């Protein structure tokens, strides 16, 4: 193959491959924590300053292995034109290794935490990967934040 043709093909691939990730569809998994065989813990600590610390501990990725990210997400009430909802805020929880567990924490306003959720994201389900598709398991925080007592952890 001539050098020019290879160069054009390489440039087309450089443009097409990243574009496929941009157009990937995300699907919320309807299965429960138990059905997905996930082992995690979420705790809320109320600092009595209008802010809380949310701690997420992942023990087993189970059917979602490997997990791409764990994010704190606040959905917007504003809808997209094509359906679904926009995002008011999405933050990576930045998991770090702690023995055999992965741990992430964020410190955020309590009223934001009440609206938020933790999303466990992956491009795999049961060890299989589909092109241009990703999945997420949501953990709503509203009830946990409501049960949080000042200067105590609530799980």
């Amino acid at each position: 193959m001539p050098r020019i043709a290879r160069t054009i093909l390489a440039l087309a691939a450089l443009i097409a491959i990243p574009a496929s990730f941009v157009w990937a569809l995300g699907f919320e998994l309807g299965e429960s924590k138990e059905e997905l065989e996930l082992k995690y813990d979420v705790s809320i600590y109320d600092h009595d300053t209008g802010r809380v610390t949310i701690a997420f501990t992942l023990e087993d990725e189970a059917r979602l292995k490997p997990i791409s990210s764990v994010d704190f997400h606040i959905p917007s009430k504003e809808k997209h034109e094509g359906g679904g909802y926009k995002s008011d805020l999405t933050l990576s929880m930045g998991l770090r290794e702690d023995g055999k567990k992965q741990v992430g924490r964020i410190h955020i306003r309590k009223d934001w935490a009440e609206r938020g959720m933790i999303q466990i994201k992956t491009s795999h389900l049961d060890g299989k990967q589909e092109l241009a598709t990703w999945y997420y398991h949501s953990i709503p925080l509203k009830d946990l934040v409501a049960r949080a007592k000042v200067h105590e952890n609530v799980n």
Side-chain angles (χ1 to χ4, degrees):
M1 182 183 300
R3 182 182 294 192
I4 294 174
R6 282 187 291 195
T7 304
I8 291 172
L9 186 60
L11 287 173
L14 284 172
I15 293 168
I17 292 171
S20 68
F21 291 110
V22 172
W23 293 319
L25 295 174
F27 295 101
E28 182 170 15
L29 297 168
E31 290 99 324
S32 69
K33 170 183 178 179
E34 292 76 22
E35 291 170 324
L36 292 170
E37 302 169 12
L38 287 167
K39 291 183 185 172
Y40 63 78
D41 183 53
V42 178
S43 67
I44 308 284
Y45 183 85
D46 187 339
H47 295 275
D48 196 26
T49 61
R51 302 196 184 297
V52 295
T53 297
I54 302 167
F56 177 81
T57 305
L58 179 64
E59 292 182 41
D60 189 355
E61 299 176 24
R63 295 178 53 204
L64 302 184
K65 189 176 186 174
I67 288 176
S68 307
S69 69
V70 176
D71 301 333
F72 172 77
H73 174 73
I74 300 176
S76 176
K77 294 176 183 168
E78 186 180 339
K79 280 189 168 185
H80 282 290
E81 290 177 18
Y85 289 88
K86 297 182 179 185
S87 174
D88 279 348
L89 177 70
T90 300
L91 297 170
S92 172
M93 293 200 67
L95 297 185
R96 62 176 171 73
E97 296 290 326
D98 186 7
K100 292 186 177 184
K101 301 175 184 177
Q102 298 179 64
V103 180
R105 287 183 185 79
I106 61 166
H107 185 72
I108 197 157
R109 288 176 32 171
K110 187 174 182 176
D111 60 325
W112 291 3
E114 289 170 340
R115 291 181 46 212
M117 64 184 68
I118 293 174
Q119 292 183 336
I120 304 171
K121 297 179 180 178
T122 184
S123 58
H124 292 73
L125 184 59
D126 295 323
K128 298 175 185 160
Q129 181 180 17
E130 291 188 36
L131 293 177
T133 303
W134 57 277
Y135 307 95
Y136 65 98
H137 171 71
S138 292
I139 307 162
L141 298 175
K142 185 176 184 175
D143 292 339
L144 269 176
V145 174
R147 290 193 336 235
K149 294 182 173 48
V150 176
H151 302 296
E152 290 183 16
N153 274 321
V154 174
N155 296 338

